Amino acid sequence: MKTFMIERYGDKAGVHAAEMPDPQVGADDVLVQIHAAGINPLDLKIRDGEFKTFLPYRLPLVLGNDFAGVVVRVGSAVTRFAVGDEVYARPGKDRIGTFAELIAVHQDDVAVKPANLTMAEAASLPLVALTAWQALVERAHVQPGQKVLIHAGSGGLGTIAIQLAKQLGAHVATTASTAKTDLVKELGTDVVVDYRKQAFESLLHDYDVVLDSLGGETLEKSLQVLKPGGMAIGVAGPPDPAFARDLGANAILRLVMSALSFTTRRLAKRRGVTYSFLFMKASGDQLRHLTPLIEAGKIRPVVDRVFPFDQTRHALEYLEQGRAKAGKVVVAMT
């Protein structure tokens, strides 16, 4: 099958087309012919080796973390799907590789594609939609009337998180440039802070939850807008001890992750709030919870641009250079 892969970490020019053997299909797997795949910042981080300490992939590695396509074979124990089903998914973290013609995925990680979406639209959703769900529903337990700040509201994660937070009944603020104000308001944002002209930490107060995809100084400032007992959820890091435990990391790696997040956790404790690192997990069940909202138009994908599959490397460069105007970048096989 045709793929886009890397042979070593840290080589930005090293993403290249290559032929690889078709995937092996286990008893609980579905083999999917991929029609479209989402491009995510996670792909760039994996390419650059940023996660190699706790995601020790074997090289060469096919990149790609979410997709939409058609089931072409099912394993002997598969009960949820049949050949011909249109599906979408974020594969488990140990089985990535959606920049390819085929992928074998455990049936538990897959859901039937929303009927109202194209393959490209569906492929843009799994990773960011699951991240939003796991942050706002599972981790923060957002309730009606609570105040939620979502950073980078026009980005791939932000556009979906805003819509989900509104469906949960939250009052939503976001950071975005002036050019993106109309978009994020259309998605449901109540308060827009122009990060180029305004300091969000001075304007926003007494928030229950912050969802941060930027990290660094933005994360530290985010702690200032939370009310006592509030929670900042970071998807850009730093990783924390709870993540290390979930990962089953060894003692040394647990110490490293604890050290990386020590300053952030100390600042949070001083303010009477908490910091939580989120590395999203694959889940077909959660996608099935989201699908009715998508089919009802309550959550809609925002796709910036669709590249042909043979331009996957260019699609990654386009994302990395910050050229996407809003939402997700996608590659389409057909």
Side-chain angles (χ1 to χ4, degrees):
M1 66 176 180
K2 295 177 181 178
T3 72
F4 274 85
M5 57 176 288
I6 57 170
E7 296 189 26
R8 61 182 182 274
Y9 289 123
D11 183 1
K12 294 190 176 184
V15 179
H16 64 279
E19 290 284 340
M20 294 284 283
D22 289 355
Q24 294 185 340
V25 181
D28 288 296
D29 293 343
V30 294
L31 181 67
V32 179
Q33 181 181 8
I34 296 174
H35 284 223
I39 305 283
N40 295 283
L42 178 59
D43 302 312
L44 302 173
K45 293 177 182 291
I46 291 173
R47 178 203 66 187
D48 295 343
E50 291 187 25
F51 293 149
K52 63 184 178 182
T53 54
F54 60 85
L55 290 178
Y57 292 116
R58 294 179 60 184
L59 300 174
L61 174 68
V62 180
L63 295 173
N65 283 275
D66 49 8
F67 71 89
V70 176
V71 176
V72 293
R73 191 190 315 166
V74 297
S76 59
V78 170
T79 57
R80 290 182 180 272
F81 303 97
V83 171
D85 286 348
E86 295 187 346
V87 297
Y88 70 149
R90 189 281 204 245
K93 62 180 175 57
D94 299 324
R95 303 184 68 177
I96 69 168
T98 65
F99 300 161
E101 292 181 302
L102 296 166
I103 190 168
V105 189
H106 196 287
Q107 64 173 333
D108 289 349
D109 297 338
V110 181
V112 172
K113 180 183 78 68
N116 60 324
L117 300 187
T118 66
M119 286 291 184
E121 289 171 334
S124 76
L125 284 174
L127 188 140
V128 292
L130 288 171
T131 302
W133 181 274
Q134 290 167 24
L136 301 177
V137 177
E138 279 199 329
R139 192 72 55 93
H141 307 291
V142 171
Q143 301 298 312
Q146 287 191 317
K147 296 166 67 176
V148 177
L149 168 60
I150 295 165
H151 282 296
S154 65
L157 173 59
T159 54
I160 303 305
I162 288 169
Q163 296 176 81
L164 178 59
K166 292 304 295 183
Q167 289 303 307
L168 296 171
H171 169 95
V172 178
T174 194
T175 51
S177 65
T178 301
K180 311 295 174 55
T181 297
D182 288 345
L183 170 65
V184 296
K185 284 186 175 179
E186 288 172 11
L187 296 174
T189 303
D190 299 292
V191 178
V192 184
V193 178
D194 186 336
Y195 65 88
R196 292 176 177 170
K197 300 176 182 178
Q198 302 168 298
F200 72 88
E201 71 276 14
S202 299
L203 295 174
L204 306 177
H205 305 283
D206 296 321
Y207 273 67
D208 297 277
V209 180
V210 177
L211 177 55
D212 172 53
S213 57
L214 303 173
E217 188 176 332
T218 299
L219 174 59
E220 291 189 9
K221 291 179 178 178
S222 294
L223 301 176
Q224 300 175 33
V225 312
L226 290 168
K227 70 180 186 182
M231 176 183 290
I233 300 171
V235 299
D240 60 9
F243 172 66
R245 289 193 297 271
D246 289 346
L247 198 66
N250 61 40
I252 295 175
L253 191 52
R254 289 199 301 272
L255 286 172
V256 169
M257 291 188 185
S258 180
L260 287 171
S261 60
F262 175 76
T263 299
T264 302
R265 290 184 289 111
R266 182 178 61 182
L267 287 172
K269 186 175 181 179
R270 286 176 178 173
R271 291 187 166 274
V273 301
T274 57
Y275 164 69
S276 179
F277 173 68
L278 174 66
F279 189 88
M280 60 79 57
K281 300 175 182 177
S283 173
D285 282 341
Q286 290 175 4
L287 285 177
R288 280 184 281 278
H289 282 297
L290 285 156
T291 297
L293 293 173
I294 297 165
E295 291 184 332
K298 302 292 181 63
I299 293 178
R300 64 177 179 88
V302 178
V303 177
D304 175 81
R305 182 171 171 183
V306 180
F307 285 80
F309 180 57
D310 62 5
Q311 293 184 24
T312 296
R313 180 174 161 184
H314 297 300
L316 286 163
E317 292 171 353
Y318 179 84
L319 177 66
E320 186 171 29
Q321 292 165 4
R323 295 164 64 190
K325 296 178 181 65
K328 289 287 292 289
V329 178
V330 176
V331 294
M333 283 63 174
T334 55

